[in-house]
Amino acid sequence: MTDSLAGGPLLPQERRVVTEIPGPGSLERLDRKKAHVADGVGTMLPVFVVAAGGGVIVDVDGNSLIDLGSGIAVASVGNAAPAVVRNVQAQVAAFTHTCFMITPYDGYVDVCAQLGELTPGDHAKKSALFNSGAEAVENAVKIARVATGRDAVAVFDHAYHGRTNLTMAMTAKNMPYKQGFGPFAGEVYRAPMSYPFRDGLSGGEAAARAIDVLDKQVGAANLACVVIEPIQGEGGFVVPAPGFLAAIAAWCTANGVVFIADEIQSGFCRTGDWFASDFEGVVPDLVTTAKGMAGGLPLAGVTGRADLMDSVHVGGLGGTYGGNPVACAAAMGAIEEMRTHDLAGRAREIGTLMAARLKTLAADHPVIGDIRGRGAMMAIELCAPGTTDPDPVRTAAISAYCHQHGVVTLTCGTWGNVFRFLPPLSISDELLNEGFDVVAEAFAATA
Ligand code: PLZ
């Protein structure tokens, strides 16, 4: 059994399966988990981790798994990336917490300045920092409500925005996120999403359909904000048809509605741009960020138009840990890694490789109904051949095969029939190709 290992990019970059997965060491620990951790906290691939980096995750039994998930798009710069480790070690030795609302420090302001520079648009921007994506979404809604003096919040079918009370209301899928947890926050309205594989509509047509719902069922004058993931995450990597986002944003601007892009999963180089909104030149009023921005430490942000951000009274935004100095140091390290290694460019290369592999796979397996995504955020949707009837059973079987053969893969989607690929941007082409060899084997073995 491997006790501990240094993680990071120096870890041997190989797939190595030396036991059943999970192995005996992990099974032992799974019993401890069962005894001490609430059952509601699930684990999808229960190998206990001792090290990770580059494109691999190493477990207590000495298995080295290819990582095609990045801990849900968090370890985009790779696990234990050098600039993250360096910054965190220096910060943790200097001070770990003062509470920015009590006595401030540079790291918080540094991250806000970076967010202002990197998010879409070159207007005057300001930011506030929080601990999690859900908290960022909640605060974006708070800001939009104060700025507009309106209550209503619009979200979309298949949306995922978090697990807190307001963000559960904003999230579309019941199981596992909402079941039994109501009553939910009020004044949240859902509009139809552009979902080209299922609705066949152009961006303009889908936007007209959504705007009709907002206009007729909610009323523009009641709407504080429209919140949308430019590419949906948990909901199935749904990429709206071209022009959809821009049309919704334009309608918001014309009606005094705050347009909020939830870039928590799609942001920070993941899709081949700094933000997914950049691809079509959409400039949101507010952007929420988290996940990839801090190389694995918990940090989230709301960034946007300075006039909107400043509409909240002093003391109205905050939290004990929001913008923790160690998390801010990590974010500055992660952003440095993204800039130095042009990780947006690397995401585009990864996207080209993945798209080619998925296209080949789809030619052999008609169960693949759709290939979609951008950059290092790509997915396939599995349906009964020639239909849009979801096939979650086959999806689960393929996923299980990948896990047993040392590849960390994630599923998603309203019907649980979408296979999503979110490799760390630090993964090598060799490992990525080997990972997709296993995915291809999994399709063949479960045919
Ligand atoms: N908005 C677009 O993707 C988090 C959730 C996993 P937190 N997605 C992964 C799970 O099962 O809990 C997410 C997201 C988008 C908001 C969030 C919420 O971010 O940091 O998990 O609160």
Side-chain angles (χ1 to χ4, degrees):
M1 192 195 289
T2 315
D3 282 333
S4 70
L5 264 174
L10 297 179
L11 211 51
Q13 296 297 299
E14 60 181 6
R15 180 169 65 108
R16 188 177 67 236
V17 180
V18 295
T19 68
E20 297 269 293
I21 290 183
S26 286
L27 285 174
E28 223 177 277
R29 287 163 176 82
L30 214 47
D31 285 338
R32 277 188 76 224
K33 173 191 177 272
K34 183 87 191 135
H36 300 293
V37 181
D39 285 351
V41 184
T43 43
M44 182 199 72
L45 204 186
V47 295
F48 279 72
V49 177
V50 291
V56 298
I57 294 177
V58 177
D59 76 10
V60 290
D61 293 296
N63 298 299
S64 174
L65 289 76
I66 298 176
D67 184 10
L68 299 184
S70 306
I72 323 189
V74 171
S76 293
V77 297
N79 250 291
V84 173
V85 172
R86 181 241 291 144
N87 282 11
V88 166
Q89 285 177 340
Q91 182 59 49
V92 88
F95 64 96
T96 48
H97 173 84
T98 64
C99 186
F100 189 76
M101 301 185 304
I102 311 293
T103 49
Y105 39 87
D106 283 338
Y108 190 114
V109 183
D110 291 342
V111 171
C112 292
Q114 288 296 316
L115 282 166
E117 190 179 320
L118 297 172
T119 51
D122 44 24
H123 51 288
K125 289 179 223 158
K126 290 195 175 184
S127 297
L129 303 180
F130 304 97
N131 304 298
S132 69
E135 214 188 335
V137 172
E138 291 246 359
N139 278 278
V141 171
K142 283 161 69 171
I143 292 162
R145 283 178 169 162
V146 169
T148 58
R150 303 170 181 177
D151 293 335
V153 174
V155 291
F156 289 83
D157 286 333
H158 313 291
Y160 184 92
H161 298 293
R163 293 174 182 266
T164 58
N165 188 263
L166 173 60
T167 59
M168 272 194 294
M170 295 169 69
T171 289
K173 193 173 175 175
N174 179 51
M175 273 302 273
Y177 309 121
K178 302 168 78 165
Q179 176 63 39
F181 297 144
F184 303 111
E187 288 304 310
V188 176
Y189 300 90
R190 197 167 303 284
M193 178 65 180
S194 167
Y195 196 150
F197 173 59
R198 291 183 175 275
D199 64 25
L201 300 179
S202 71
E205 290 163 346
R209 179 178 65 172
I211 288 166
D212 188 58
V213 169
L214 299 179
D215 214 27
K216 296 294 175 287
Q217 299 183 28
V218 190
N222 300 315
L223 259 182
C225 56
V226 168
V227 186
I228 188 164
E229 300 154 86
I231 295 180
Q232 289 184 318
E234 306 307 302
F237 282 24
V238 179
V239 185
F244 177 80
L245 287 174
I248 299 287
W251 180 83
C252 286
T253 302
N255 289 280
V257 178
V258 179
F259 180 78
I260 303 175
D262 180 346
E263 293 257 16
I264 286 165
Q265 191 153 163
S266 57
F268 278 102
C269 299
R270 177 52 56 186
T271 63
D273 290 293
W274 278 99
F275 292 91
S277 300
D278 289 325
F279 188 74
E280 289 187 31
V282 172
V283 179
D285 296 314
L286 299 178
V287 177
T288 57
T289 52
K291 291 195 187 276
M293 81 186 283
L297 274 81
L299 186 68
V302 180
T303 302
R305 279 170 41 198
D307 59 317
L308 294 179
M309 295 297 295
D310 284 342
S311 60
V312 178
H313 49 280
V314 174
L317 302 175
T320 305
Y321 295 111
N324 166 272
V326 182
C328 287
M332 293 305 290
I335 293 167
E336 179 186 325
E337 293 274 347
M338 291 179 206
R339 287 188 196 276
T340 321
H341 302 293
D342 181 23
L343 292 185
R346 180 60 189 147
R348 292 192 292 275
E349 286 173 9
I350 289 173
T352 304
L353 190 156
M354 295 201 296
R357 293 298 306 253
L358 293 173
K359 217 173 138 195
T360 309
L361 199 61
D364 293 337
H365 299 280
V367 71
I368 299 175
D370 194 24
I371 305 173
R372 57 179 181 252
R374 201 151 68 227
M377 183 173 186
M378 298 211 51
I380 44 180
E381 179 160 358
L382 274 59
C383 293
T387 76
T388 55
D389 300 339
D391 192 346
V393 174
R394 182 80 185 279
T395 310
I398 292 164
S399 204
Y401 182 100
C402 291
H403 298 172
Q404 282 148 21
H405 293 81
V407 181
V408 182
T409 52
L410 308 179
T411 59
C412 63
T414 296
W415 297 278
N417 66 324
V418 178
F419 236 93
R420 59 172 150 175
F421 302 100
L422 290 167
L425 307 179
S426 53
I427 198 170
S428 67
D429 282 358
E430 290 71 22
L431 270 188
L432 203 52
N433 271 313
E434 190 176 343
F436 277 91
D437 291 344
V438 173
V439 172
E441 273 171 33
F443 269 85
T446 57

